[in-house]
């Protein structure tokens, strides 16, 4: 087996743990992951999230996913070799001022995100930590790439209960927020996160930003209304206590909150931000929504 | 069969599907019987009636079987005609006492509605008996996001596409110099006990065995390191599948401190390098979940199926069968064991993509393993499935009649 230095050369440091390197006149991005770090004091070997991330990335081949080319171990470090994305790819895509120049561009990027999520779900992968920081875009070519699958995992049907302390709080779905650690979550959680990103694209600020689970739920219900047994069958048994839901609130008119959206866009947004996961649109159906006509 | 819906044949509630018939069971109805003669023709052995679940209303959708196979499943779903029974079934238990083996008849007590119908259309002949329908097993889960119904066909066709890449050659052990099939069997039998002791998820065990085989196919190992390969494979599988992972220390203790922490961690790195971190591989477990749903399984069938498929994990010769075939054959064999006659419905055939014929070779091997599971030195699986937790599934009689033909 070839060593790292035999395989790759011309190392150029991008950040403390990320390098640009070459092999056969092709550029790659190399990410160094320390197996023994502060979070892994007990030294249980390769961290579970690295094992999951790499094995998931290994089987994926999609234009909108940063492709993992190679994995090598050397001493206490793992070297992940990814496809190289040039400087035109900007991380944290919503911070890119050019993002908001054309409405069509937002639609194009939203379509690419949903298309990727549908691809992942069809390959039994839950993303679980979809947020703007993990999305890179090339505004010139209008290509988007999703990176960092640290919180992704495969699922089997029927889904088991997984840890619910994953994902950035702002993009966490109400069913996960309700459960406090014992949620059997599924594909609708990823769709909720896409809905939040869609809202953020339009408003130029996070759609929900509560600092805690309870405050975040309150923000969600302020916009979308407090769920009832009609709108979310079984919600009272899920949340356990009505105190969590706060005083009943009526949903706001999304057309007034998002005046820049046409009726198709409003329909898609409302379906992605449907409180009840059972009724929330799937990524596969969202891609076929009339809002994307002409994309 | 408990929980079965396959008996919901429109208009003729008492016809069992052809593959419910035991070896000596006569066809119960001829095609195109006059409606008025039904009551005279519904004589069947009492024991056979008990095998049919006639109490359920059939609400599932059906897939009309005359459509070409390559048509996508979604396009084939059609609502099942109402399966309400037109008559009450009364078992006559008073035996005539002559000790004969004659079948006890099941009399059909006509309801008023049925008598009216008979009066009106006494001479009208029935249409041909419909072929057994294929049920849409996902119909009742469409609104449940946990069932991922909209992706389920994609997921399983993806599994089928890549399952061969997870398989190893059944005779890969010939390239190993210091270990053999017997040693592999001892290791896996022991790991099944470790898995039970640690109370791990079922899929963790199947992934563990898959990792061991794929690693040993590519890497020569000396015999005193084989147990190290086993516990390291289980550690990796736990990290991939479990929410709460046992520590390296737990695995060292379970080997009676035969290895050090560094040996385990070095082996982990070596295994990950050799396997190139490819852990998302289909195992029999993944197919079992789906196929058991297609078989409308109850807990008894599920436990017996898992008992049979775990017996296969120990046997090197079973590596020649793909994970999906092992899963399907385990369910088929379990059904044969439980009901003591061949049982493979159109629904299970449709969803597994295996005919009864394709399963027989694998199934017969499973019966032989079942037969000798409690004897010999490797009884880990037998002892596990002999507990109340696993429904004492190991005590169920094997389907020996499968070996006869």
């Amino acid at each position: 087996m070839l060593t790292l230095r035999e395989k790759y050369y011309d190392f150029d440091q991008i950040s403390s743990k990320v390098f640009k390197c070459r092999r056969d006149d092709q550029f790659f991005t190399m990410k160094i992951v320390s197996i023994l770090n502060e979070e892994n004091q007990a030294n249980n070997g390769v961290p579970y999230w690295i094992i999951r991330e790499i094995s998931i990335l290994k089987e994926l081949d999609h234009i909108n996913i940063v492709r993992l080319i190679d994995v090598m171990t050397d001493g206490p470090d793992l070297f992940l070799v990814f496809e190289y994305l040039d400087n035109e790819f900007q991380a944290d895509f919503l911070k890119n001022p050019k993002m908001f120049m054309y409405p069509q561009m937002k639609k194009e990027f939203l379509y690419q995100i949903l298309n990727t999520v549908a691809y992942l779900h069809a390959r039994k992968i839950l993303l679980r930590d979809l947020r703007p920081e993990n999305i890179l875009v090339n505004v010139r070519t209008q290509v988007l790439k999703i990176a960092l699958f640290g919180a992704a995992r495969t699922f089997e049907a029927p889904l088991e209960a997984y840890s619910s302390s994953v994902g950035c709080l702002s993009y966490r779905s109400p069913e996960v927020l309700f459960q406090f650690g014992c949620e059997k979550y599924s594909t609708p959680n990823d769709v909720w996160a896409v809905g939040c990103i869609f809202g953020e694209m339009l408003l130029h600020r996070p759609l929900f930003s509560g600092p805690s689970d309870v405050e975040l739920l309150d923000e969600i219900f302020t916009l979308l209304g407090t769920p009832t047994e009609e709108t979310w069958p079984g919600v009272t048994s899920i949340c356990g206590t009505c105190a969590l839901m706060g005083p009943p609130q009526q949903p706001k008119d999304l057309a007034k909150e998002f005046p820049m959206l046409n009726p198709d866009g409003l329909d898609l947004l409302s379906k992605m931000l449907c409180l009840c996961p059972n009724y929330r649109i799937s990524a596969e159906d969202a891609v076929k929504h009339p809002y994307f006509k002409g994309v | 069969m408990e929980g079965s819906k396959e008996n919901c044949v429109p208009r003729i509630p008492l016809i069992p599907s052809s593959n419910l018939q035991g070896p000596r069971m006569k066809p119960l109805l001829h095609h195109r019987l006059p409606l008025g003669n039904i009551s005279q023709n519904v004589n069947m052995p009492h024991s056979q009636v008990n095998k049919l679940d006639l109490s359920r209303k059939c609400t599932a959708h059906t897939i009309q079987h005359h459509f070409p196979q390559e048509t996508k499943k979604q396009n084939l779903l059609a609502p099942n005609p109402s399966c309400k029974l037109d008559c009450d079934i009364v078992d006559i238990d008073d035996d005539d006492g002559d000790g004969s083996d004659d079948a006890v008849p099941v009399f059909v007590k006509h309801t008023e509605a049925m008598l009216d119908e008979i009066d009106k259309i006494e001479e009208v002949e029935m249409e041909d008996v419909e072929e057994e329908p294929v049920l849409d097993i996902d119909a009742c889960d469409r609104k449940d996001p946990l069932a991922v119904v909209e992706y389920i066909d994609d997921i399983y066709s993806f599994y089928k596409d890549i399952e061969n890449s997870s398989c190893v050659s059944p005779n890969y052990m010939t390239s190993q110099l210091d270990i053999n099939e017997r040693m592999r069997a001892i290791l896996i039998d022991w790991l099944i006990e470790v898995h039970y002791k640690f109370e791990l998820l079922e899929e963790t065990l199947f992934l563990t065995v898959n990792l061991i085989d794929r690693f040993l196919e590519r890497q020569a190992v000396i015999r005193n390191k084989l147990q190290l390969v086993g516990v390291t494979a289980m550690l990796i599988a736990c990290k991939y599948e479990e929410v709460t992972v046992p520590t390296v220390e737990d695995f060292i203790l379970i080997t009676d401190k035969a290895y050090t922490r560094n040996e385990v961690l070095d082996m982990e790195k070596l295994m990950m390098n050799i396997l190139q971190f490819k852990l998302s591989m289909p195992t029999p477990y993944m197919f079992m979940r789906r196929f058991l749903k297609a078989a409308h399984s109850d807990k008894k069938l599920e436990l017996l199926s898992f008992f049979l498929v775990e017996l296969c994990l120990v046997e090197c010769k079973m590596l020649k069968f793909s994970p999906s075939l092992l899963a399907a054959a385990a369910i088929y064999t379990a059904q044969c064991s439980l009901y003591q006659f061949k049982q493979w419905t159109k629904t299970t055939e449709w969803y597994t993509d295996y005919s009864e014929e394709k399963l027989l070779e694998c199934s017969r091997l499973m019966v032989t393993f079942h037969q000798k599971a409690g004897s010999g030195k490797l009884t880990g699986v037998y002892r596990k499935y002999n507990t109340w937790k696993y429904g004492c599934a190991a005590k169920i009689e094997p389907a020996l009649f499968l070996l006869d033909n």
Side-chain angles (χ1 to χ4, degrees):
Chain A
M1 205 181 278
L2 289 171
T3 65
L4 185 73
R5 296 276 171 188
E6 287 168 335
K7 237 178 176 182
Y8 301 98
Y9 49 90
D10 287 356
F11 287 86
D12 192 3
Q13 194 159 7
I14 296 169
S15 67
S16 63
K17 295 277 184 181
V18 182
F19 291 81
K20 179 182 172 182
C21 61
R22 266 171 83 166
R23 185 187 177 187
D24 305 332
D25 295 329
Q26 227 182 328
F27 288 107
F28 299 97
T29 303
M30 187 177 284
K31 179 178 160 188
I32 302 172
V33 180
S34 186
I35 295 171
L36 183 59
N37 56 26
E38 306 80 55
E39 297 155 36
N40 197 22
Q41 288 293 357
N43 189 11
N44 254 329
V46 185
Y48 73 90
W49 64 270
I50 286 288
I51 284 177
R52 285 178 195 162
E53 176 175 350
I54 296 169
S55 60
I56 285 169
L57 283 171
K58 269 287 191 180
E59 68 176 81
L60 301 177
D61 184 15
H62 192 278
I63 190 168
N64 299 121
I65 294 169
V66 180
R67 204 153 66 87
L68 178 64
I69 312 291
D70 195 7
V71 188
M72 304 185 82
T73 58
D74 187 8
D77 294 322
L78 268 175
F79 296 86
L80 310 184
V81 181
F82 291 94
E83 65 172 304
Y84 177 68
L85 302 178
D86 61 33
N87 294 336
E88 287 192 82
F89 274 94
Q90 301 286 307
D92 202 353
F93 83 123
L94 291 181
K95 291 210 169 91
N96 189 330
K98 292 179 187 168
M99 258 302 297
F100 306 108
M101 284 165 61
Y102 313 105
Q104 185 63 20
M105 196 183 282
K106 294 176 194 176
K107 191 184 283 194
E108 176 64 48
F109 285 136
L110 179 66
Y111 180 83
Q112 288 182 43
I113 295 169
L114 280 167
N115 195 33
T116 311
V117 171
Y119 169 85
L120 291 168
H121 289 174
R123 291 179 113 70
K124 41 84 180 160
I125 292 162
L126 291 175
L127 203 42
R128 305 200 308 167
D129 192 20
L130 185 60
R131 50 196 161 118
E133 294 92 312
N134 294 349
I135 299 170
L136 303 99
V137 293
N138 182 331
V139 177
R140 185 178 57 81
T141 59
Q142 292 196 20
V143 173
L144 169 148
K145 301 260 185 189
I146 297 177
L148 298 176
F149 279 58
R153 72 163 292 161
T154 63
F155 62 79
E156 309 312 334
L159 287 141
E160 305 294 341
Y162 301 134
S163 156
S164 73
S165 57
V166 296
C168 183
L169 196 62
S170 299
Y171 306 93
R172 220 176 273 179
S173 63
E175 63 270 22
V176 171
L177 293 167
F178 266 145
Q179 288 286 341
F180 298 116
C182 58
E183 170 58 356
K184 283 192 171 189
Y185 52 76
S186 178
T187 51
N189 299 281
D190 290 340
V191 175
W192 175 272
V194 181
C196 293
I197 289 169
F198 186 19
E200 195 167 335
M201 277 179 176
L202 301 164
L203 300 176
H204 304 196
R205 62 168 173 80
L207 189 55
F208 308 114
S209 55
S212 71
D213 288 16
V214 176
E215 286 163 295
L216 194 62
L217 275 171
D218 185 55
E219 272 191 53
I220 291 168
F221 298 153
T222 301
L223 178 67
L224 303 170
T226 308
T228 63
E229 281 296 322
E230 286 74 49
T231 59
W232 185 347
V235 70
T236 44
S237 62
I238 290 171
C239 71
T241 164
C242 292
L244 252 182
M245 294 205 279
Q249 301 183 71
Q250 289 304 307
K252 287 186 178 171
D253 182 359
L254 289 183
K256 284 180 183 160
E257 299 296 316
F258 300 93
M260 69 294 286
L261 268 185
N262 64 18
D264 280 337
L266 287 166
D267 181 67
L268 177 61
L269 181 65
S270 67
K271 282 176 175 168
M272 287 201 286
L273 294 178
C274 175
L275 290 172
C276 176
N278 298 28
Y279 301 148
R280 200 172 299 148
I281 194 169
S282 70
E284 189 177 44
D285 288 341
V287 166
K288 299 169 191 161
H289 195 277
Y291 178 64
F292 295 115
K293 204 176 283 177
V295 171
Chain B
M1 186 179 117
E2 198 177 21
S4 170
K5 291 175 188 162
E6 74 240 0
N7 305 309
C8 298
V9 180
R11 309 282 309 130
I12 320 164
L14 287 175
I15 299 182
S17 58
S18 57
N19 45 21
L20 279 179
Q21 294 174 20
R24 293 181 303 280
M25 194 171 158
K26 294 189 188 89
L28 302 177
L29 283 173
H30 305 291
H31 287 272
R32 304 185 65 78
L33 289 171
L35 192 62
N37 292 344
I38 285 183
S39 58
Q40 297 155 36
N41 289 282
V42 193
N43 288 351
M44 63 193 291
H46 191 252
S47 59
Q48 297 294 348
V49 175
N50 294 340
K51 286 181 184 127
L52 302 176
D53 180 8
L54 299 168
S55 60
R56 286 179 171 262
K57 283 181 186 171
C58 188
T59 53
H61 290 56
T62 59
I63 297 168
Q64 301 306 324
H65 222 68
H66 56 263
F67 283 92
Q69 280 285 343
E70 58 272 12
T71 315
K72 233 192 161 198
K73 280 185 194 129
Q74 289 94 306
N75 303 337
L76 305 182
L77 306 182
N80 197 17
S82 169
C83 289
K84 292 192 183 96
L85 298 182
D86 286 335
C87 53
D88 300 322
I89 294 118
V90 182
D91 284 2
I92 304 298
D93 286 329
D94 42 314
D95 197 358
D96 57 10
D98 63 1
S100 71
D101 282 353
D102 289 351
V104 180
V106 175
F107 291 120
V108 177
K109 184 175 75 182
H110 293 132
T111 59
E112 276 185 50
M114 195 170 176
L115 288 166
D116 281 354
E117 196 177 3
I118 292 166
D119 288 340
K120 282 178 200 165
I121 46 172
E122 188 93 58
E123 300 307 314
V124 178
E125 291 192 331
M126 279 172 54
E127 289 179 22
D128 285 350
V129 174
E130 280 187 38
E131 204 178 332
E132 178 204 346
V134 173
L135 303 174
D136 173 12
I137 62 172
D138 301 309
C140 52
D141 294 325
R142 298 229 172 264
K143 278 283 166 228
D144 179 8
L146 295 176
V148 289
V149 168
E150 63 270 41
Y151 297 109
I152 204 78
D153 284 331
D154 288 335
I155 288 168
Y156 279 90
S157 66
F158 169 61
Y159 283 160
K160 277 269 197 175
D161 289 345
I162 67 163
E163 71 171 328
N164 289 333
S165 65
S166 74
C167 295
V168 296
S169 163
N171 53 0
Y172 77 80
M173 271 293 176
T174 54
S175 61
Q176 288 282 352
L177 302 172
D178 200 37
I179 57 171
N180 56 35
E181 291 184 8
R182 177 77 186 154
M183 291 174 195
R184 176 196 176 274
I186 292 164
L187 172 71
I188 288 165
D189 189 71
W190 174 74
L191 284 171
I192 286 166
E193 295 194 53
V194 172
H195 173 269
Y196 178 66
K197 187 181 170 71
F198 282 168
E199 297 182 338
L200 301 171
L201 297 170
E202 283 299 326
E203 50 264 56
T204 305
L205 175 64
F206 288 90
L207 180 57
T208 300
V209 176
N210 178 272
L211 297 178
I212 290 166
D213 287 325
R214 281 166 51 220
F215 178 72
L216 293 179
E217 187 180 43
R218 292 168 176 82
Q219 180 75 29
V221 170
I222 54 172
R223 68 182 67 188
N224 65 357
K225 294 288 186 208
L226 184 59
Q227 192 181 14
L228 176 61
V229 170
V231 291
T232 307
M234 190 167 272
L235 172 67
I236 294 166
C238 284
K239 286 179 180 180
Y240 187 76
E241 297 287 5
E242 301 285 336
V243 173
T244 310
V245 181
T247 63
V248 173
E249 204 57 46
D250 293 326
F251 285 107
I252 292 167
L253 288 171
I254 209 85
T255 65
D256 203 16
K257 298 187 179 176
Y259 307 103
T260 65
R261 167 183 289 280
N262 283 344
E263 282 180 301
V264 174
L265 298 182
D266 287 345
M267 180 57 78
E268 181 185 43
K269 277 189 225 167
L270 177 63
M271 288 184 81
M272 292 312 255
N273 274 340
I274 296 288
L275 300 174
Q276 268 291 290
F277 282 80
K278 288 184 179 172
L279 306 187
S280 299
M281 292 293 182
T283 63
Y285 174 85
M286 296 177 177
F287 293 104
M288 288 286 274
R289 280 275 151 254
R290 181 72 173 156
F291 297 172
L292 283 164
K293 188 179 181 184
H296 297 288
S297 78
D298 55 11
K299 198 70 188 161
K300 205 171 182 182
L301 176 61
E302 183 180 325
L303 289 169
L304 183 55
S305 302
F306 272 106
F307 168 58
L308 292 169
V309 87
E310 282 184 38
L311 286 172
C312 296
L313 291 178
V314 180
E315 303 286 341
C316 230
K317 62 179 153 192
M318 299 308 276
L319 291 169
K320 70 175 177 178
F321 300 111
S322 68
S324 61
L325 180 68
L326 277 173
I331 293 164
Y332 171 68
T333 314
Q335 286 180 327
C336 291
S337 300
L338 285 172
Y339 314 125
Q340 286 300 313
F341 56 86
K342 288 184 180 180
Q343 160 98 4
W344 196 241
T345 65
K346 286 272 192 281
T347 301
T348 39
E349 185 175 326
W350 172 269
Y351 285 98
T352 61
D353 212 16
Y354 290 112
S355 64
E356 199 173 344
E357 201 182 336
K358 284 182 189 167
L359 301 175
L360 280 171
E361 183 196 354
C362 184
S363 185
R364 284 176 183 136
L365 285 167
M366 285 179 178
V367 174
T368 61
F369 303 150
H370 188 175
Q371 209 177 354
K372 60 184 176 71
S375 55
K377 288 178 184 171
L378 304 180
T379 57
V381 184
Y382 181 82
R383 280 181 286 124
K384 172 181 170 179
Y385 282 90
N386 216 6
T387 59
W388 286 110
K389 183 182 174 182
Y390 287 91
C392 297
K395 285 195 169 85
I396 294 164
E397 286 297 307
L400 295 176
F401 70 88
L402 285 176
L403 303 177
D404 298 339
N405 36 33

